[in-house]
Amino acid sequence: MTNLRAEGVSLGYDGLRVIENLDLTLPDGKITAVVGPNACGKSTLLRGLARLHPLDGGRITLGGADITQMPRKELARKIGMLPQSSIAPDGVRVAELVSRGRYPHQGWFGRHSSDDDAVVTTALESTGVAELADRPVAELSGGQRQRVWIAMVLAQQTDIVLLDEPTTFLDVRHQLDLLDLLTELNRNQGTTVAMVLHELNLAARYADHLVVMSAGRIVAEGLPSDVLTREVVDEAFGLRAQVVPDPVAGSPLVVPVGRYHSK
Amino acid sequence: MSAPAPATPTRVTDTTVTTVADLRTLRRRRQALVVSGMVLVVLVAGTAALLMGAAGLTPGQAISGVFGLGDKGDVFVVQKLRLPRIEAAVVVGVAFGLAGALFQSTLRNPLASPDILGISTGASLGAVIGVLVLGLSGMALSGLAFAGAGVVALAIWLLAWRKGLHSIRFVLVGVGFAYLGSSLIAWAMARSQEHEAAAVLIWTVGSVSDVRGEQLTLVAAGTLVLCAAAAVVSRTQGPLALGDDNARALGVHVDAARVGALLLAVALVALATSAAGPIAFVALVAPAIARRLVNDGGAALVASAATGAALTLAADVIAQHGLLGVAAPVGIVTGLVGAPYLLWLLATTEKRSR
């Protein structure tokens, strides 16, 4: 299988270790959500998995092969990654931005072929932005823009898609909208999705596999209903909370206690 | 935006495929249109430059002179004086326009240009030292100007490199060098004799009036080679414009691509300034104009090169024929046009898209 796996990985910035000797396997064809308090290293881990951040130790393997040994373009045909808050260049239109996702599939003098057009169109349609194809990206709303960026990653046609806080800056409705979209992608095409999320309860609802991190290590991982307990929330976030079943989805719902307002 | 209907991603409607293809064709057509427009400006300005001048040639004499026909004196005027100057303006304009576009797209900063970054200033300084200290002229002087640009670029590089090239640091360090270079030039000129200072002026303003013969061939050939290399590099400009992380995720070797593009840009500037001096603002303004006209979020490399040629040649026609009241080096006209444009650009580049 094409499991993406971190083996004894250490990551950091200028000598400052953020993650030490971490092991993680992204289950194939599932949605994995990584949650944790600020600065716990979750984004760094995701960047490491996508080879956007150099490793200080250990290795990342894809189907058993070390990803640092792979040509970058080849890797870009297997792993797609949407970094945090991407900025579109001035004047660029939706179809053109999404077309840039075809880069790893084109040669040195690569021109867009009709195959590329078909892939771009599929990406536009499955993210619901086909009608916006000729609009400048700058004119779109936050929710639309994020869909366009996801369309660009989809145009890369990878089996694995990583997303770093894709719902940040979106209101609740558009957060759900986007997570539904990723669920469709996962269910319809079997794409392995892994994302860093801030919103615990949405992560618990949408993830098949939940990874809770704190201070550079994994506190717990597994099925959200197994993982997200009072003890784990307290350990990872230092937060007193009650965990009840989500009345809609049945997944764990974290209700923080705080210092006031208790009955 | 309504919630998505449960998507069936295999549904690829033919109409949208055409739309994507149509949009692509439209984009190409727009680029071609801008380039054609600029070529037209070059042709018009070039014809004007051929016909105008003190020798008082009729249009017929001038045209036949281009093909080496007619009176020997006329042929000399056309082939040895007027044509080289036109060719020089075009070649140098292409080099500056393309270099500016490469700088700006690679550093993702519309102000990044060899003028602002001090690379042109380095060329001027090299030439000023060559004239005032070493008493050089001709090719040796051009060589020193080339070296001056190279040295400044290298120095910016060394100071700006921190485990990779950070755009804003590169620009800021470059601005520092620009000031340093200008101060040194002013100091050298203040110490020089009056007639020397006049000889040096051309190297601080930029002029295409003395680029001809072997040197013109050399610069033209070099620019052509660098343009071809830029065509290869241009593939990575689209992903690079999306930011380092996105570019890496798309499979671009970000540092290598950036270093390659900047090396090309520096070589283009060094080559052009070694022949014509730092023609002010062409490298800054031409890509900005080209990008506004093409307006597709791309680097507009070809359009920038064409715009650079059109701008330089048109400015030289204005400069040469004293439309400012006195015959002046082309750099003064481009400066007069460029400086207000820069101010306008500074005033209107607030809107950024996420």
Side-chain angles (χ1 to χ4, degrees), chain B:
Chain B
M1 189 176 61
S2 60
T8 42
T10 39
R11 175 201 66 193
V12 176
T13 48
D14 285 343
T15 50
T16 341
V17 177
T18 2
T19 314
V20 172
D22 286 350
L23 285 169
R24 201 149 44 75
T25 314
L26 220 61
R27 232 161 62 77
R28 292 242 172 88
R29 211 170 278 163
R30 204 178 160 94
Q31 288 170 352
L33 196 70
V34 172
V35 173
S36 316
M38 292 302 163
V39 169
L40 192 69
V41 173
V42 166
L43 289 176
V44 169
T47 311
L50 263 185
L51 301 182
M52 291 163 77
L57 301 188
T58 65
Q61 287 168 322
I63 303 295
S64 42
V66 173
F67 301 101
L69 305 170
D71 178 67
K72 265 195 185 157
D74 297 349
V75 172
F76 177 84
V77 167
V78 170
Q79 294 211 339
K80 296 292 175 195
L81 300 179
R82 292 186 186 173
L83 266 185
R85 184 164 181 162
I86 296 168
E87 288 160 10
V90 169
V91 168
V92 167
V94 163
F96 278 127
L98 181 57
L102 285 170
F103 272 121
Q104 290 169 17
S105 71
T106 309
L107 297 174
R108 284 201 297 280
N109 188 329
L111 292 179
S113 82
D115 318 64
I116 309 275
L117 296 179
I119 294 168
S120 310
T121 324
S124 302
L125 185 61
V128 168
I129 292 171
V131 172
L132 297 181
V133 182
L134 306 173
L136 296 177
S137 63
M139 292 294 262
L141 189 57
S142 294
L144 205 61
F146 189 95
V151 166
V152 170
L154 188 70
I156 298 175
W157 204 282
L158 291 176
L159 286 176
W161 186 277
R162 291 273 184 289
K163 288 188 182 173
L165 196 61
H166 298 281
S167 303
I168 192 68
R169 193 196 299 271
F170 195 93
V171 173
L172 289 176
V173 171
V175 169
F177 273 104
Y179 279 106
L180 183 65
S182 313
S183 304
L184 289 174
I185 290 170
W187 179 63
M189 286 179 74
R191 288 168 51 94
S192 65
Q193 305 292 323
E194 225 170 89
H195 70 277
E196 290 176 331
V200 155
L201 187 66
I202 215 83
W203 285 102
T204 65
V205 178
S207 164
V208 289
S209 61
D210 290 317
V211 189
R212 55 170 70 90
E214 241 177 71
Q215 188 179 30
L216 178 57
T217 315
L218 189 75
V219 174
T223 303
L224 201 65
V225 171
L226 292 170
C227 284
V232 178
V233 167
S234 70
R235 285 271 307 124
T236 59
Q237 299 290 311
L240 267 184
L242 307 180
D244 289 5
D245 276 355
N246 273 306
R248 268 193 202 107
L250 287 170
V252 177
H253 291 268
V254 167
D255 282 329
R258 188 169 286 158
V259 168
L262 288 181
L263 274 181
L264 278 180
V266 168
L268 281 163
V269 171
L271 197 65
T273 42
S274 76
I279 299 176
F281 285 109
V282 172
L284 176 70
V285 173
I289 294 174
R291 275 199 309 271
R292 293 257 154 144
L293 292 176
V294 173
N295 193 28
D296 64 355
L301 296 183
V302 181
S304 299
T307 308
L311 204 64
T312 311
L313 184 57
D316 191 47
V317 172
I318 295 172
Q320 187 187 2
H321 298 293
L323 301 188
L324 296 172
V326 57
V330 60
I332 289 179
V333 175
T334 54
L336 282 175
V337 176
Y341 180 78
L342 174 66
L343 294 176
W344 180 74
L345 197 69
L346 282 170
T348 57
T349 43
E350 281 311 307
K351 55 170 175 35
R352 296 245 80 190
S353 51
R354 192 166 262 294

Side-chain angles (χ1 to χ4, degrees), chain A residues 1-260:
Chain A
M1 283 311 276
T2 53
N3 271 325
L4 185 60
R5 188 192 292 263
E7 301 172 10
V9 161
S10 299
L11 290 153
Y13 300 87
D14 289 326
L16 179 74
R17 252 321 135 67
V18 177
I19 288 172
E20 186 89 56
N21 198 21
L22 178 145
D23 294 303
L24 175 68
T25 301
L26 298 186
D28 257 339
K30 302 280 187 206
I31 297 180
T32 300
V34 184
V35 296
N38 289 337
C40 71
K42 53 194 191 303
S43 283
T44 311
L45 173 63
L46 203 71
R47 288 164 49 81
L49 286 170
R51 204 177 153 191
L52 300 186
H53 195 97
L55 300 184
D56 293 343
R59 56 183 211 143
I60 308 250
T61 58
L62 182 62
D66 189 339
I67 63 166
T68 54
Q69 304 302 315
M70 260 177 231
R72 273 201 178 275
K73 267 192 170 178
E74 191 192 322
L75 187 66
R77 291 193 291 268
K78 295 178 172 163
I79 302 177
M81 162 89 182
L82 183 60
Q84 218 170 335
S85 50
S86 298
I87 296 178
D90 282 339
V92 75
R93 281 160 205 276
V94 169
E96 159 62 12
L97 184 69
V98 175
S99 299
R100 291 191 188 174
R102 297 304 296 158
Y103 177 81
H105 295 273
Q106 295 163 340
W108 268 108
F109 292 96
R111 296 220 134 198
H112 281 271
S113 63
S114 49
D115 282 354
D116 290 328
D117 287 340
V119 174
V120 168
T121 304
T122 309
L124 288 169
E125 291 189 339
S126 59
T127 50
V129 291
E131 298 80 45
L132 307 174
D134 62 344
R135 294 269 300 280
V137 177
E139 288 177 7
L140 306 181
S141 71
Q144 291 171 326
R145 227 178 271 160
Q146 199 61 338
R147 284 169 165 269
V148 169
W149 281 106
I150 287 174
M152 190 202 74
V153 176
L154 295 193
Q156 242 174 290
Q157 287 189 302
T158 57
D159 291 334
I160 301 172
V161 171
L162 309 178
L163 306 104
D164 193 357
E165 298 196 15
T167 57
T168 312
F169 304 120
L170 299 184
D171 60 38
V172 173
R173 198 192 117 196
H174 287 107
Q175 287 184 25
L176 280 169
D177 210 31
L178 196 94
L179 291 170
D180 282 340
L181 171 69
L182 293 171
T183 305
E184 280 158 16
L185 173 71
N186 166 259
R187 295 211 177 141
N188 293 332
Q189 300 180 23
T191 306
T192 304
V193 176
M195 55 191 160
V196 168
L197 285 179
H198 249 299
E199 176 55 52
L200 270 182
N201 294 326
L202 288 180
R205 184 188 286 189
Y206 281 90
D208 302 309
H209 188 79
L210 186 68
V211 179
V212 182
M213 287 182 69
S214 175
R217 61 191 184 84
I218 293 175
V219 175
E221 65 171 312
L223 282 175
S225 51
D226 296 340
V227 167
L228 213 56
T229 60
R230 284 162 75 154
E231 294 74 28
V232 167
V233 172
D234 189 23
E235 188 186 348
F237 292 88
L239 177 74
R240 228 153 44 87
Q242 301 215 2
V243 179
V244 297
D246 178 337
V248 173
S251 53
L253 185 71
V254 175
V255 185
V257 174
R259 279 185 291 154
Y260 306 101

